[in-house]
Each structure stands twice: as structure tokens, then as C-alpha cells.
Amino acid sequence: MNGWTNDPVFQPYFHETGFIVSGHTPALIEHIKTDEVDQSEGDWVALETAEDFRQTMPPGVLTGEFPGWKGWISRSGAGWIHARKAMVSAHGKAQSLGVNFVTGSPHGNVQNLIYKDGDVVGAQTADGQKHLAEHTILAAGAGSDRLLDFKKQLRPTAWTLSHIRMTPEEAKTYRNLPVLFNIAKGFFMEPDEEKHELKVCDEHPGYCNFVADPDHQGEKRSIPFAKEQIPLEAEARARDFLRDTMPHLADRPFSFARICWDADTVDRAFLIDRHPEYASLVVAVGGSGNGAMQMPTIGGFIADALEGKLQKELKEVVRWRPEIAIDRDWKSTQNRFGGPDKLMDFQDVKADGWTHIGR
């Protein structure tokens, strides 16, 4: 939070608009009360009725009946980040400090690490170029598992997001809103300033893409792929969330949708460590859905790991730890809620079971 509020690289892209966490069943509400909200700290205020929810935003925004919903709102120390703009800002700062970025296909498409004398000495890209280095940091998100054997420590997992285009007048009404999150139905964030698109995500334990992996003796592993559409079942869940909260938008066409990948570790803690077999390789992976919000600080931890200066308490948490993944349950929900309350598989989505959204 100190980074988001004080670092000029990131501060413009944090919007301290507040945060609502909620549920719609007694079990979910009790979970939030017990595990998500510390009412002894902060400024949490309980939301008991539909009118309580509606009062958190300007008139005409929350028009739903919020059936069974209860929640809590915090107005300070919480909000949302514009992740893309923050990334662009960090990119610009890095360039000003002398970092050279090699991007695009094929020049920036890493196909494999380069090994020599029992160590990693760089990476090779799809154009055949070998990028040699004294130290190599592998931080390829959900794609990391395709470049190195992580001993079952990573599971590429995807979520689904969609946008609804608003008019410029609507976008003004929807400015500076707290993020509304139902831990089993979804969340929405205010429209962006450029395209006036409201972001809506359905909440669920995630999707994997389990296929026979030739790199692991044909064992079924989750292998990421890109798609700017979402399953129709995900669209239905997002619209169900809207019917509870903003029914006036529930049938409005989506202007954009895509699947979004991350890599889950077994315990959902980062994996930031020097590789035990390759002395020159540092891995920085395992965002587990928590990576973007750590943007102002995560680079410092990775640099500390590279230099052997990572503080002891943190080093223990983010260490290379294949021993906890030996008998990994690939279909674990990882303590996430929503959807069918189980991990889903893109292989079960039929060819005609996807949206057809054009921009």
C-alpha cells in the first residue's frame, strides 16, 4: 500500500475508492465474517439490506434486490488499480534506467532456456536468437511451466472477464465507485476513462486446460492458450451477478471478453528463489491471483533473491518447495468459491459453447 500511495511510478494508477466484500448464503457470509473481515481494524461497516448496498453508490447504479446478500464496506486503504497503465509506467521507468526490452513475435517469444555445463546461461527466442546472461530470471507467469520442470509446483489456471460499454454520461455517474465483490458471484469495477467500459468478472475456482503433456510423459497437465472469448456458462454467471446488483445492465451486450491466466502454487504463496540445480537461474512465479496488486514491491523481492539478501521470514515462505506438491490435487479449488464450486476444465467446453463477441 505504501508503494501504491507514494511511489510516483505507481501512485497515479491506484484509485482508493473503497471495497465491498459480500456473500449471498449463510455459509459464505459466515466465512467472510470469520476469515475475510477483521472488524477490530479499519473502518468496516456492515451492509445488512439491499438498501444498505444501494446507498454505497450514487443513485441509479445499484438497482438490484441483492437477494440474500450481506456484506461489509471499507472506504479507506482499498480500491482498484489500473494494472495496464501501471505496467506501462513501470516499463517506461525501467527503460530510463537502461533496461532493454525485446518484445513481439518472434523476437520476444522465448522457446527454451539455454543450458551449458549444468547451468542455465540464457534463453533462446523463436527467431533463433540466443540471449546469453550471467543471471537468468524466469518470470513467465502461467507460461513458466512450459520452460522448466517445476515439479508440480505450478498449475496454470484461468479466469474469465468481460466488459460492457457505457455512454460517456453513464461513465461519469459510475466514477470513483467502491469495488463490489461477492466471493462466489463476481465483481465489477468502474468504467475506464478512455473506452468507458465497465469490467465485470464472474467468480469461480478457475478453469484449467488438461491435456496430455508430452513434456511430462503424457501426464495430463494444464496448458495455457489465448482466447478473446469466454465460455457461455461464464457469461451466464456474469449476467446472474448483474441481475442481483445492476439488472438494468444484465442484458446489455458485452463489448469484450477474454480468459486470463495465472499460475497457482499449492499454498498460493509466491515462488521466488534461486533454482537448487541451476546456480545462475532465479525463478519468480506463482502469482496465484495475487500478483498485480504486489506490483510496487515484488521486483524488490526478486532482486533480493537474486542477490541472496531476501529476508529470512519471507525466504521461507517463497522458497522452492516441491515437497508440498508431490501428491498435488490438480483439481483443488484452492479455497475459492463460486460457479459450480469446483475447478472447471476448458476441455469440457464444447466448440459452440463460447461467446462470439466482436469489437
Side-chain angles (χ1 to χ4, degrees), residues 68-99:
W69 286 50
K70 292 185 184 297
W72 287 262
I73 182 171
S74 174
R75 292 284 187 180
S76 63
W80 62 278
I81 60 169
H82 199 299
R84 179 180 58 80
K85 288 183 178 179
M87 288 284 287
V88 170
S89 177
H91 173 270
K93 179 65 175 178
Q95 280 187 316
S96 75
L97 294 171
V99 174

Side-chain angles (χ1 to χ4, degrees), residues 144-164:
S144 301
D145 201 40
R146 312 304 304 152
L147 298 171
L148 181 74
D149 184 1
F150 277 89
K151 312 293 184 183
K152 300 186 177 181
Q153 291 179 91
L154 296 184
R155 184 191 72 183
T157 311
W159 286 270
T160 39
L161 66 87
S162 51
H163 292 178
I164 293 175

Side-chain angles (χ1 to χ4, degrees), residues 15-279:
H15 301 259
E16 192 173 2
T17 57
F19 176 64
I20 299 169
V21 59
S22 56
H24 62 285
T25 70
L28 292 171
I29 294 164
E30 185 60 32
H31 168 79
I32 296 169
K33 188 186 302 184
T34 303
D35 298 325
E36 303 285 343
V37 175
D38 184 353
Q39 296 181 70
S40 66
E41 295 185 2
D43 61 346
W44 292 105
V45 175
L47 305 174
E48 301 284 348
T49 66
E51 185 59 25
D52 287 345
F53 280 93
R54 289 192 284 264
Q55 289 294 324
T56 64
M57 300 189 192
V61 174
L62 299 180
T63 57
E65 295 301 320
F66 292 85
W69 286 50
K70 292 185 184 297
W72 287 262
I73 182 171
S74 174
R75 292 284 187 180
S76 63
W80 62 278
I81 60 169
H82 199 299
R84 179 180 58 80
K85 288 183 178 179
M87 288 284 287
V88 170
S89 177
H91 173 270
K93 179 65 175 178
Q95 280 187 316
S96 75
L97 294 171
V99 174
N100 177 41
F101 288 89
V102 181
T103 61
S105 184
H107 311 296
N109 181 11
V110 174
Q111 292 202 315
N112 57 269
L113 299 176
I114 301 171
Y115 298 87
K116 182 180 180 181
D117 299 330
D119 200 0
V120 170
V121 296
Q124 182 169 331
T125 45
D127 59 355
Q129 180 73 28
K130 292 183 178 181
H131 301 268
L132 303 180
E134 183 179 346
H135 300 280
T136 301
I137 300 172
L138 174 55
S144 301
D145 201 40
R146 312 304 304 152
L147 298 171
L148 181 74
D149 184 1
F150 277 89
K151 312 293 184 183
K152 300 186 177 181
Q153 291 179 91
L154 296 184
R155 184 191 72 183
T157 311
W159 286 270
T160 39
L161 66 87
S162 51
H163 292 178
I164 293 175
R165 185 167 288 120
M166 316 288 283
T167 66
E169 293 73 24
E170 286 175 323
K172 290 179 182 178
T173 301
Y174 282 66
R175 289 288 299 279
N176 299 317
L177 302 183
V179 176
L180 173 58
F181 177 45
N182 180 305
I183 65 171
K185 285 210 170 191
F187 65 90
F188 85 92
M189 292 159 53
E190 65 181 79
D192 68 283
E193 295 176 350
E194 286 82 15
K195 296 183 179 180
H196 306 311
E197 291 185 329
L198 186 82
K199 180 179 179 179
V200 182
C201 297
D202 61 312
E203 184 66 17
H204 50 72
Y207 283 92
C208 285
N209 181 47
F210 289 117
V211 297
D213 187 351
D215 294 334
H216 294 92
Q217 293 77 49
E219 178 187 356
K220 283 198 171 183
R221 290 288 188 94
S222 180
I223 297 182
F225 63 96
K227 196 174 184 70
E228 288 196 353
Q229 302 292 338
I230 59 175
L232 293 174
E233 62 193 23
E235 178 184 12
R237 288 191 294 264
R239 296 194 183 282
D240 177 63
F241 168 76
L242 290 171
R243 275 189 286 274
D244 279 5
T245 59
M246 298 178 286
H248 58 287
L249 298 179
D251 296 317
R252 189 175 294 194
F254 288 162
S255 55
F256 175 72
R258 68 177 168 90
I259 58 176
C260 184
W261 290 90
D262 205 342
D264 281 327
T265 58
V266 176
D267 53 9
R268 292 180 63 187
F270 289 114
L271 173 51
I272 304 171
D273 202 356
R274 196 167 284 277
H275 195 279
E277 298 175 29
Y278 308 117

Side-chain angles (χ1 to χ4, degrees), residues 287-301:
S288 303
N290 302 309
M293 67 180 179
Q294 303 289 347
M295 205 183 302
T297 54
I298 193 69
F301 297 141

Side-chain angles (χ1 to χ4, degrees), residues 1-13:
M1 184 58 71
N2 182 57
W4 284 117
T5 53
N6 293 298
D7 188 332
V9 175
F10 299 104
Q11 184 273 332
Y13 313 109

